[in-house]
Amino acid sequence: MTNDSVQQVKVTGKDGDEKFRYVTTVSINKSTSYKIKKVVTDDESKLVLDLGYGFAVPTNTPDGHGFATFRSGEFMIGLRYCYTPKKALQTYSVGLWCDWRNYTVPKNGVISKNADGIVGFGEYPYDVRETSSKIRIFSLSVPFLFTQKFGKKSKSSFSLGPVVNFNVRGRINNEWTDENAEWEQSIKEIGQRPVTVDIMGILKSDG
C-alpha cells in the first residue's frame, strides 16, 4: 500500500481454484485534521520587593549652607503592587516604603534649635574637634510609578512618577569632642514638614 489516493487491490487464488486472479483499483479519500490551540494572555499583576540605598540631596537649603552629599545616605525597603494590562508594554504600580534619610552638614557645621523652637545652621566653637551634625528623617512613602518597556522581548525599561512621603519622625544628632570629653546631643520635635513629594526616575537595563 502506498500513499497515493488510488490504490490497486490484487487477489490471487480462492477455494478450489488456485489459478484465480482478481485485480481492481480503489479510490481512497484522505483527510487532514488540524488541532488549534487558543492561547489567552491575561492581565499580569504581582508584588515586587523594593530595596534601595542612595544619597539624599536637599534642594531648598538656605544660601551659604548645605549638606555633604556623600555622607548623607538614604535607605528604603518596601513592597509595590504592579499591574500590566494584557499585551501592553506599560506597567502601573503603587506601593508602601519605609524610608530613612540622613542629612549631614559639612565639617565644623552644626544644626541646632533655639529657645523659640527654630532650627537653624551654625558652626561649632573653634576649640572642638571630631564634629558631626545631621538631621535624621523617617518616612512612610507611597510611590506611584509608570513603567515603559522598550519592547516585548526587551528587559530594559524606564519608570517615572511621584513619591509621597509622610515624614512621621525627625530629629537632630550632634556629636563633638572637646578637651574634657566626647559629647552627643539628640534634639527631637524639629518641625519637619509632615508631607513632602519627590519625583523618582528609574532606568533598568538587563543584558
Side-chain angles (χ1 to χ4, degrees):
M1 190 171 183
T2 66
N3 293 326
D4 298 333
S5 60
V6 177
Q7 300 290 322
Q8 185 181 71
V9 179
K10 181 185 293 185
V11 179
T12 303
K14 68 177 181 176
D15 291 343
D17 186 1
E18 295 182 356
K19 296 182 179 181
F20 177 81
R21 298 290 185 272
Y22 175 78
V23 178
T24 187
T25 57
V26 178
S27 178
I28 299 176
N29 294 324
K30 298 195 304 181
S31 62
T32 304
S33 62
Y34 297 92
K35 185 178 181 181
I36 300 176
K37 182 179 180 181
K38 185 178 181 181
V39 179
V40 179
T41 304
D42 295 328
D43 298 349
E44 180 183 357
S45 60
K46 60 182 178 180
L47 283 177
V48 174
L49 174 64
D50 293 320
L51 181 67
Y53 180 82
F55 301 104
V57 183
T59 57
N60 57 345
T61 57
D63 292 340
H65 299 281
F67 293 89
T69 300
F70 295 105
R71 290 194 293 148
S72 300
E74 179 176 4
F75 173 77
M76 55 76 60
I77 186 172
L79 290 174
R80 193 158 41 91
Y81 173 78
C82 302
Y83 170 75
T84 304
K86 183 171 60 177
K87 298 182 180 180
L89 299 178
Q90 298 79 29
T91 297
Y92 308 89
S93 62
V94 62
L96 180 63
W97 294 340
C98 293
D99 186 277
W100 294 265
R101 281 166 286 169
N102 293 315
Y103 301 105
T104 304
V105 299
K107 188 176 181 180
N108 296 326
V110 62
I111 307 170
S112 59
K113 185 172 73 170
N114 63 21
D116 297 326
I118 299 176
V119 175
F121 289 86
E123 292 186 358
Y124 280 106
Y126 71 92
D127 57 347
V128 303
R129 61 187 187 278
E130 297 181 8
T131 62
S132 174
S133 182
K134 63 184 65 177
I135 296 177
R136 292 182 171 177
I137 304 292
F138 172 72
S139 306
L140 292 176
S141 302
V142 180
F144 299 91
L145 298 180
F146 168 80
T147 302
Q148 175 69 52
K149 289 183 64 177
F150 297 143
K152 291 184 178 180
K153 296 183 179 180
S154 174
K155 295 183 180 180
S156 300
S157 63
F158 178 72
S159 301
L160 182 67
V163 179
V164 181
N165 305 299
F166 299 93
N167 304 311
V168 298
R169 188 175 65 192
R171 65 178 180 178
I172 298 171
N173 283 89
N174 295 325
E175 299 178 6
W176 69 94
T177 301
D178 60 19
E179 60 183 7
N180 297 317
E182 296 181 356
W183 300 88
E184 294 184 3
Q185 180 187 44
S186 181
I187 304 173
K188 300 180 180 179
E189 298 179 2
I190 62 174
Q192 73 274 7
R193 293 180 181 178
V195 180
T196 55
V197 179
D198 298 329
I199 298 297
M200 175 172 284
I202 303 172
L203 179 62
K204 179 182 178 181
S205 178
D206 291 339

